[in-house]
Amino acid sequence: MTPSRTAQVGLALITALLLIAIYGPIGVTVAGAFLPVKGGIIQSFAPSLTAFHTLAGDAGLIRSLVITLAVGAVATMASVTLATALALFTTERGGLHSRVVTVIVFLPFVMPPMVTGLALLIFFRDVGVDRSLLTVTIGHVAIILAIAYRSIVVRLTDLGRSLIEASLDLGASRWQTFARVILPNIRGSLLASAVLCFALSFDETLVTLLLTGTDSTFPIRLWGMTRLGITPAANAILAILLAVTVAASALAIAISQRRHAKDANAP
Amino acid sequence: MSAGDRAPLVELSAVGKTYGTARVLHDVNLTVEDGEFLVILGPSGSGKTTILRLIGGFIAASAGEIRLDGAVINDLPINRRPFNTVFQDYALFPHMTVRANVGYGLAVRGLPRPEIAARTAKVLDLVSLGDFASRYPAQLSGGQRQRVALARAIVCTPRLVLLDEPLAALDVDLRHQMQVFLKDVQRQIRTTFLFITHDQEEAITLADRIGVMDQGRIVQVGAPRDLYDRPGSAHVARFFGENNLIAGHVTGVSGSIAKVETALGVLAGHCDPAQGYVGGDAVLLTIRPEKIRLLPAGAPSPALETTIPGQIARSGFAGPLTQLHLCPDAAPDLMISVKRLSDASAAASAAQVSARASWSTADTWVVRA
Amino acid sequence: MSPGLTRPGAALAVYGLLGALIVVPFLSFLAMSLYSVSGVVIDRSLTLANFARAASDPVLMGVFWRTILLCAGIALVTTLVGYPVALFIAGMRGRARYGLLTLMVAPLVLSYVMKIYAFRSILGGNGLLNRLLMGAGIIDAPSNFFVFNLNAVFLVLAVLLAPFAILPILLSLEKIPAALAEAAADLAASRWQIFRSITLPLSRPGIATALSFTFIMAIGDFITPQMVGGPNGFTFGRVIYSQFGLAFNWPFGAALGVLLSGVIILVLALALALGRVPGGATR
């Protein structure tokens, strides 16, 4: 039931206000890449690309970006692979296994990053593993696993058992069944959750802060900069990132929409 | 049809299946003869799907042995059993064309491409889907998908094709067409078919032999005619088609004729001497509705027949048959069901108030109650 | 257990991996809360001293309850604002809805630290907000209302967490079958009555999720309070973090972390219990 005209206007107003509040800081950030901005106020209307030039020369910042991308890529691949294996396990065994695995997988996701990060910090110290990019990556995997897991479980459940049974029945090995029947049919979920996982890993700050060694990711660099002032070069990165991430999340939504439409046409 | 002394293709011996505390199959003994069309018939929950899945390897037996050519295959995994299944929901791979679906079993075996193409094409022609080879399952109708599933199962020339209520989702006309089609295909390729269904009409149409299941047990196995005329138990007697069941006690047996004391008096019934009926046994005298005649008032009672006078309670025209119900004078609570071909005499009977039901002892059959 | 894709030994591998990655660390965390520290050495004898100390420290308890109150407030505000926005989006169709959704979701993937930093500068003495308020004549001189205190934390978190309130509510609104509203209208209910008697109750799961998620995210957040809280905006999260930094009392910090986890589990349980649709249908 659509709301009345007046209600619509009221709702639209609230929505607009919220969007302004949300995009205000983002706008300031992006503006800061092209114009001198202080306190959220544009000091002078002299747009320039010096920020981007500085960025190209800031080796430390670029290095942290590369590290962030690497950690993100590794964590995403590990999470998606692990999530797929777990999802295959629980959708086949069902029942108690399903419940137990779900609780365990969602624990680090539901708990605040602080708790998960501290748990891993304590654990690494107990087993004598020094903090490094490896520990950071493991931390990321723990947090983002749930996203990939849920998405793949839902897709596998929709797919149903009979495709697997049919494939085995026709003489395919387990690996052939996975590669020829399951993988092609979960591609959408894998992709969508990979994008989401990567995005989350990219911006992960708190767990990274707790588990980082000498190398720092981009969020940690930013964090370090907040005391003295974030350089326009960082603004430049974020302006670029905004463009990329908007495209990425739109892609994720579009992929899942198309999958829904495709399945709606199936029997 | 009996296969004589040839060894069975598949044999289940004392097979049982338990889920937790629920016993789904009890002591099942079943043979599947090479080349036959065997139908397992039973209501939902009777365990028929379980048997199929046990043979296919999708679940493991809790007890007993499953044999193929005499060798025990309980531990043989699904993909090593030379059986192929037609699933109830068809389980066609949505991301593959019809051609790829049908050729899947051959492709995973690593057969050369030309051979796969040739065999696939041949089998698609067999099911009349040659023109649909490049379509995707989502673009096909239910009946077409059904045929693809069948084609996919038979192209690998399995020893046994398992069909899990494949026609359940089709509407009546299509179902009848497919029944004829399946029977033809089976005769043509001479592969053994194991078909499960809850539809008795379907069973009678398709089967060389039927195995009737009830609550996890195989109650009787035999040719459709035998099950119909000579049911081995009250359950089978009730299950197949409509039947009149008159309760009573045995008073005496001589050869294959038993005397049964019923509410309608002492009636003679044909029986199986091997059952060893003795006086006092609780039995049911069964007589099929279509074997009963209605004598008009005044007509002489035929010799050597049982004649029951009564009142016509209900009558209904049901197309080719006319259904009449007779309330016996001796036992007004009983209702004898009579089915006659819808001709003039049937109409005349329907118009009467009182009549006499008459049948020959040879058409009766006694089962334990 | 039916034969299929997974090997019989899979269970071992699965639970072994999950154990090492998740279960064991969390157990270590729990264990740490029961240890104590003497100097720089961690004494691993089990004791509940940390919890006793936490409970009996008035300053600490003050921060604890103030944090809970703050986050409850944040949860409430985000849900109160989020509901109308969710309604608005739910009323949209096609491209407009798709676009709005993207607008709501996109900022979530932009750098968290950066957003807070930008916010901080806007909220500052010479910042955009003060200039606007002065320009509009609401205030005469720059206000410190949002400068380095809990108010700042409140505002920033409320805005940043708003999408997390909107999405669950939107989801539950979409689950309500359109036929119900039509049936009510057919029975001559007004729009407001339909909203109050059908939409609102049936969106309860979404509301519960919105409230609990935003609360949990707020209470677990450390970055925002640390950046905009200043010395007047100390939250429980900052206390925990400091135990692992300069204060170097890991057992105590772990105990406080366990306390925080306890609160969160409680809130989750509450949300589950109260978030049921009345009558139990249409989930």
Side-chain angles (χ1 to χ4, degrees):
Chain A
M1 197 90 252
T2 48
S4 61
R5 269 267 74 174
T6 38
Q8 282 270 67
V9 170
L11 294 177
L13 210 69
I14 299 176
T15 308
L17 282 170
L18 185 66
L19 282 172
I20 291 174
I22 292 177
Y23 277 92
I26 296 175
V28 166
T29 306
V30 174
F34 301 96
L35 301 159
V37 174
K38 202 161 171 223
I41 304 159
I42 300 171
Q43 305 292 312
S44 59
F45 275 94
S48 72
L49 292 174
T50 44
F52 292 90
H53 290 162
T54 320
L55 168 62
D58 191 337
L61 207 57
I62 300 235
R63 182 183 151 78
S64 73
L65 207 63
V66 170
I67 289 178
T68 313
L69 287 169
V71 167
V74 173
T76 301
M77 279 193 285
S79 302
V80 170
T81 311
L82 190 57
T84 308
L86 289 172
L88 285 171
F89 178 77
T90 53
T91 48
E92 183 150 296
R93 304 290 176 98
L96 188 63
H97 286 291
S98 168
R99 280 193 286 265
V100 169
V101 171
T102 305
V103 166
I104 297 180
V105 168
F106 271 87
L107 194 60
F109 183 72
V110 170
M111 284 288 136
M114 166 147 342
V115 173
T116 308
L118 291 176
L120 283 168
L121 179 68
I122 294 171
F123 172 66
F124 286 134
R125 196 169 188 276
D126 280 348
V127 296
V129 174
D130 282 331
R131 290 188 288 183
S132 65
L133 285 180
L134 176 67
T135 55
V136 168
T137 311
I138 295 177
H140 284 211
V141 170
I143 296 220
I144 62 183
L145 186 63
I147 298 169
Y149 176 73
R150 170 145 179 88
S151 171
I152 299 172
V153 162
V154 166
R155 181 68 190 128
L156 279 178
T157 313
D158 276 347
L159 215 56
R161 289 219 61 201
S162 43
L163 286 188
I164 297 178
E165 286 182 352
S167 173
L168 291 172
D169 179 72
L170 291 162
S173 68
R174 275 190 289 248
W175 181 251
Q176 281 173 319
T177 303
F178 176 72
R180 289 176 188 244
V181 175
I182 298 188
L183 210 55
N185 280 295
I186 61 173
R187 248 194 335 233
S189 298
L190 287 181
L191 205 63
S193 47
V195 168
L196 217 58
C197 283
F198 185 80
L200 251 105
S201 159
F202 193 84
D203 192 39
E204 216 303 308
T205 314
L206 191 44
V207 167
T208 319
L209 196 62
L210 290 166
L211 296 175
T212 200
T214 47
D215 287 311
S216 51
T217 62
F218 181 62
I220 303 299
R221 250 337 198 68
L222 275 183
W223 170 253
M225 279 197 243
T226 55
R227 213 151 272 283
L228 297 167
I230 293 188
T231 67
N235 285 53
I237 292 186
L238 283 146
I240 298 172
L241 283 177
L242 181 63
V244 172
T245 47
V246 163
S249 50
L251 192 77
I253 294 179
I255 288 179
S256 61
Q257 296 275 49
R258 206 183 320 147
R259 181 137 294 277
H260 275 280
K262 197 178 179 190
D263 287 349
N265 286 334
Chain B
M1 300 292 119
S2 160
D5 294 308
R6 227 169 39 229
L9 176 68
V10 170
E11 194 180 344
L12 275 70
S13 316
V15 167
K17 179 65 186 169
T18 314
Y19 287 107
T21 50
R23 201 120 182 271
V24 173
L25 284 184
H26 301 256
D27 193 32
V28 167
N29 295 294
L30 181 70
T31 62
V32 182
E33 308 290 342
D34 202 1
E36 75 168 337
F37 198 125
L38 176 67
V39 174
I40 308 276
L41 171 68
S44 21
S46 55
K48 57 189 193 297
T49 312
T50 313
I51 288 190
L52 187 132
R53 288 175 71 78
L54 274 172
I55 297 177
F58 304 102
I59 52 180
S62 312
E65 289 163 339
I66 304 171
R67 284 201 178 78
L68 168 67
D69 291 334
V72 175
I73 57 165
N74 284 47
D75 293 327
L76 201 61
I78 302 172
N79 45 13
R80 297 235 200 95
R81 300 196 188 197
F83 312 141
N84 287 135
T85 308
V86 179
F87 293 82
Q88 194 170 31
D89 65 355
Y90 314 138
L92 297 181
F93 305 126
H95 60 294
M96 295 186 194
T97 59
V98 165
R99 189 183 291 114
N101 259 285
V102 172
Y104 185 81
L106 304 172
V108 294
R109 240 163 278 216
L111 293 180
R113 290 245 187 102
E115 188 183 335
I116 298 180
R119 283 167 72 168
T120 308
K122 191 160 151 219
V123 106
L124 278 175
D125 278 337
L126 186 67
V127 299
S128 313
L129 283 177
D131 293 332
F132 291 79
S134 306
R135 300 256 183 111
Y136 284 87
Q139 299 166 300
L140 302 177
S141 71
Q144 288 166 335
R145 280 190 211 133
Q146 225 280 330
R147 283 183 275 156
V148 175
L150 181 67
R152 188 175 69 176
I154 63 183
V155 79
C156 308
T157 55
R159 304 290 303 281
L160 173 65
V161 177
L162 303 162
L163 300 108
D164 184 356
E165 296 200 68
L167 309 183
L170 306 175
D171 45 271
V172 181
D173 284 335
L174 194 53
R175 206 181 311 161
H176 286 154
Q177 273 179 48
M178 286 302 302
Q179 283 165 6
V180 172
F181 176 73
L182 275 173
K183 192 75 179 160
D184 280 345
V185 169
Q186 194 263 344
R187 270 202 216 106
Q188 258 186 284
I189 63 177
R190 275 174 292 184
T191 305
T192 316
F193 272 32
L194 178 66
F195 185 103
I196 65 170
T197 180
H198 60 271
D199 184 341
Q200 30 157 320
E201 213 188 287
E202 189 162 83
I204 296 182
T205 312
L206 292 170
D208 294 331
R209 283 196 310 150
I210 302 180
V212 182
M213 287 204 68
D214 180 38
Q215 292 179 331
R217 275 176 226 273
I218 298 227
V219 170
Q220 188 174 357
V221 184
R225 188 92 242 184
D226 291 334
L227 273 95
Y228 190 76
D229 288 338
R230 310 250 175 284
S233 64
H235 176 260
V236 179
R238 280 195 190 93
F239 192 69
F240 264 107
E242 234 199 289
N243 212 345
N244 285 300
L245 306 153
I246 304 169
H249 294 269
V250 175
T251 57
V253 180
S254 83
S256 59
I257 306 285
K259 286 267 186 317
V260 184
E261 164 104 48
T262 71
L264 300 173
V266 177
L267 303 173
H270 213 177
C271 72
D272 179 8
Q275 281 285 320
Y277 294 111
V278 293
D281 281 348
V283 292
L284 295 170
L285 185 86
T286 71
I287 172 77
R288 292 282 175 189
E290 66 270 16
K291 299 282 198 321
I292 305 177
R293 269 165 306 146
L294 284 176
L295 304 171
S301 304
L304 297 175
E305 285 204 357
T306 313
T307 315
I308 309 285
Q311 313 295 315
I312 304 265
R314 261 184 304 200
S315 66
F317 172 69
L321 296 170
T322 296
Q323 176 103 39
L324 300 133
H325 284 101
L326 183 94
C327 243
D329 294 330
D333 293 330
L334 274 176
M335 193 83 81
I336 298 187
S337 172
V338 183
K339 274 203 181 102
R340 309 298 314 163
L341 285 173
S342 300
D343 56 11
S345 72
S349 302
Q352 289 172 259
V353 174
S354 62
R356 279 171 297 150
S358 171
W359 64 74
S360 142
T361 306
D363 290 329
T364 61
W365 184 254
V366 174
V367 290
R368 287 194 190 274
Chain C
M1 200 179 32
S2 39
L5 205 62
T6 55
R7 252 178 277 265
L12 206 72
V14 162
Y15 288 113
L17 208 84
L18 286 180
L21 181 67
I22 296 170
V23 179
V24 171
F26 275 91
L27 287 177
S28 319
F29 181 70
L30 204 66
M32 182 61 80
S33 70
L34 299 170
Y35 299 155
S36 51
V37 86
S38 50
V40 287
V41 176
I42 293 181
D43 175 8
R44 280 166 197 266
S45 50
L46 299 178
T47 169
L48 288 172
N50 295 314
F51 293 98
R53 179 182 151 195
S56 60
D57 183 339
V59 176
L60 191 63
M61 281 292 110
V63 173
F64 180 66
W65 290 113
R66 238 182 306 136
T67 308
I68 290 191
L69 214 66
L70 178 81
C71 297
I74 293 172
L76 208 65
V77 166
T78 51
T79 307
L80 277 172
V81 172
Y83 201 101
V85 176
L87 272 177
F88 183 66
I89 299 179
M92 298 259 106
R93 289 280 168 266
R95 285 272 167 84
R97 164 191 276 213
Y98 184 70
L100 261 176
L101 261 174
T102 314
L103 273 181
M104 281 297 159
V105 167
L108 296 179
V109 290
L110 191 66
S111 166
Y112 195 58
V113 172
M114 194 57 132
K115 280 187 285 199
I116 305 170
Y117 182 81
F119 240 120
R120 188 171 74 183
S121 60
I122 293 178
L123 294 176
N126 283 321
L128 186 62
L129 185 66
N130 268 316
R131 291 280 182 92
L132 282 176
L133 289 177
M134 288 201 292
I138 300 175
I139 54 175
D140 298 319
S143 154
N144 278 337
F145 190 68
F146 285 116
V147 180
F148 286 121
N149 54 20
L150 284 181
N151 298 329
V153 177
F154 187 93
L155 182 65
V156 173
L157 278 177
V159 172
L160 292 182
L161 294 179
F164 292 101
I166 296 171
L167 287 173
I169 297 176
L170 183 63
L171 242 82
S172 74
L173 284 175
E174 286 179 347
K175 282 213 184 108
I176 302 175
L180 291 182
E182 287 167 7
D186 181 68
L187 295 163
S190 72
R191 283 190 144 104
W192 171 248
Q193 283 173 322
I194 293 178
F195 174 74
R196 222 197 56 195
S197 61
I198 293 178
T199 315
L200 203 56
L202 287 177
S203 59
R204 225 161 75 168
I207 297 175
T209 309
L211 284 170
S212 53
F213 269 23
T214 47
F215 178 86
I216 290 170
M217 282 201 241
I219 206 169
D221 190 24
F222 161 77
I223 308 282
T224 308
Q226 186 82 345
M227 280 181 72
V228 298
N232 296 329
F234 233 76
T235 61
F236 200 59
R238 292 176 70 181
V239 176
I240 296 178
Y241 188 79
S242 65
Q243 303 303 315
F244 287 85
L246 292 169
F248 198 78
N249 192 341
W250 283 32
F252 189 57
L256 296 181
V258 170
L259 194 59
L260 183 69
S261 307
V263 169
I264 288 169
I265 292 175
L266 202 74
V267 168
L268 279 172
L270 263 171
L272 212 70
L274 296 177
R276 282 184 216 274
V277 177
T282 354
R283 239 192 184 272

